[in-house]
Amino acid sequence: MSAVLEELLTLLRLSPQPPARGEHVFYGASQDPGWGRIFGGQVLGQALSAASQTVPEGRFIHSLHGYFLRPGAIDTTLVFRVDPIRDGRSFTTRRVVAEQNGEAIFSLSASFQVAEGGFDHQHETMPEVPPPDELDSERELAANYLARLPEAVLARIPRALRERAVAERPIEIRLTSPIDPIAPAKQAPRNQLWFKAAGPLPDDAAIHQYLLAYASDYYLLGASMLPHGVTWMTPGMQVASIDHAMHFHRPFRFDDWLLYDIDAPTAVGGRGLARGRWFDQRGVLVASTLQEGLVRDRR
């Protein structure tokens, strides 16, 4: 396992405090994604990790819904308070609040279920896209893109962001249709990307699930800006996640390639709505996402 992948797993595992009065408390650190505030997928993955660690053995996440309440500071400890709302015969429900300096920055509701049989159908089909082995990695695309930029344009991109764009990554991402982040062309609100952990993972299903939650915040909201020829790097754009929902349908491994098929059905009132479908390489639908976020144009 690469050092950067192990660092991410450590970040998501959290440090627990012994439960008191029915409440479970976990502590977490943050990574600097290059833009000065916590990456939303990080706090989402950590909150799911905290909830999962309080659930009886043999129950797995099937749905979650989170709200991003305040921007998170990268240099301040995160405190995750888990409320064990209910443990039923088949389902377990947890509520998690992430805090910094005594203020809530994120809230999560999550439901877990014991494994059981039942009806099984899949109406959705995986789109036809190039396989990951035929595509450049996100890191390779970034290096080539930065090398072609004029010095005047390059100077406007924060140094931390440039360095992170070409650094080794814990998750490998391969775009089927790369987008120019500085001068994007107007196009349909659709994007497909392959994702995979940059190394083998343990067999613990919960690890694969909270890594998928972490990764699900990448590129999702960006689809709602594609028809307007802007990205989160366009000067004057205010882009931030408001809420995030996920449903986990079938078992998967995050150290195997998964396709993230994203589309954005609407944008209105300074908000964009994006949804995503996760398929394994056999075309099996393993998870679904839905997110609304701010896409304010302040130019």
Side-chain angles (χ1 to χ4, degrees), residues 47-71:
L48 177 56
S49 173
S52 299
Q53 293 182 56
T54 71
V55 171
E57 187 175 355
R59 301 187 178 210
F60 302 97
I61 183 71
H62 72 87
S63 69
L64 62 82
H65 198 129
Y67 281 95
F68 298 91
L69 307 174
R70 293 181 176 88

Side-chain angles (χ1 to χ4, degrees), residues 21-24 54 82-87 92-95:
R21 299 186 304 278
E23 186 181 60
H24 301 261
T54 71
V82 183
D83 182 3
I85 295 176
R86 180 178 183 268
D87 290 305
T92 287
T93 307
R94 294 291 184 263
R95 180 170 54 222

Side-chain angles (χ1 to χ4, degrees), residues 186-260:
K186 292 184 179 181
Q187 56 188 286
R190 188 82 182 268
N191 203 1
Q192 288 102 16
L193 314 93
W194 291 99
F195 281 74
K196 181 171 73 71
L201 296 171
D203 291 334
D204 185 353
I207 292 175
H208 296 257
Q209 290 160 350
Y210 58 63
L211 275 171
L212 186 70
Y214 171 91
S216 68
D217 197 34
Y218 278 111
Y219 288 94
L220 186 56
L221 189 57
S224 66
M225 294 179 276
L226 293 178
H228 310 283
V230 297
T231 71
W232 66 275
M233 291 187 67
T234 302
M237 286 300 301
Q238 181 185 8
V239 182
S241 302
I242 298 174
D243 68 358
H244 192 103
M246 293 191 73
H247 290 268
F248 296 80
H249 310 305
R250 297 174 177 85
F252 64 90
R253 292 193 64 92
F254 198 65
D255 48 7
D256 290 333
W257 285 109
L258 297 174
L259 179 70
Y260 200 12

